[in-house]
Amino acid sequence: MKNIAAVVIGVTLFLFFYTITPFFEDNYDLIFSLFMIGQGLVIYMVYTVLKHGIAPKEKFIEGKWYDDVDHIYSKDA
């Protein structure tokens, strides 16, 4: 399993930096370039999490809606 946390933190920091760039009154070309790079990074982050993430053992159809909560939300009668 690859280090998913590093990818998520890195992309989040990049997008935070992109979000605050208009306050520094940078030029439009830089902001647009960062926007385009950010779109690719988000796609890469989603791919990494889906490809290398750990799938839960419980199934959604069995009533286990959340992996971090030990509660069954629905059951067939």
Side-chain angles (χ1 to χ4, degrees), residues 28-45:
Y28 177 77
D29 293 335
L30 175 66
I31 294 173
F32 182 73
S33 298
L34 292 176
F35 173 75
M36 295 306 289
I37 292 169
Q39 300 301 309
L41 288 176
V42 168
I43 292 170
Y44 174 71
M45 179 178 67

Side-chain angles (χ1 to χ4, degrees), residues 59-69 71-74:
K59 301 293 181 196
F60 180 77
I61 199 166
E62 297 171 355
K64 295 294 285 188
W65 293 359
Y66 301 101
D67 195 30
D68 59 345
V69 177
H71 183 74
I72 297 177
Y73 288 95
S74 65

Side-chain angles (χ1 to χ4, degrees), residues 49-62:
V49 170
L50 291 177
K51 180 75 174 174
H52 302 290
I54 299 171
K57 294 174 184 66
E58 295 85 10
K59 301 293 181 196
F60 180 77
I61 199 166
E62 297 171 355

Side-chain angles (χ1 to χ4, degrees), residues 13-26 31:
L13 288 174
F14 175 82
L15 292 176
F16 176 75
F17 175 73
Y18 162 73
T19 305
I20 63 173
T21 52
F23 296 110
F24 298 131
E25 298 180 6
D26 289 331
I31 294 173

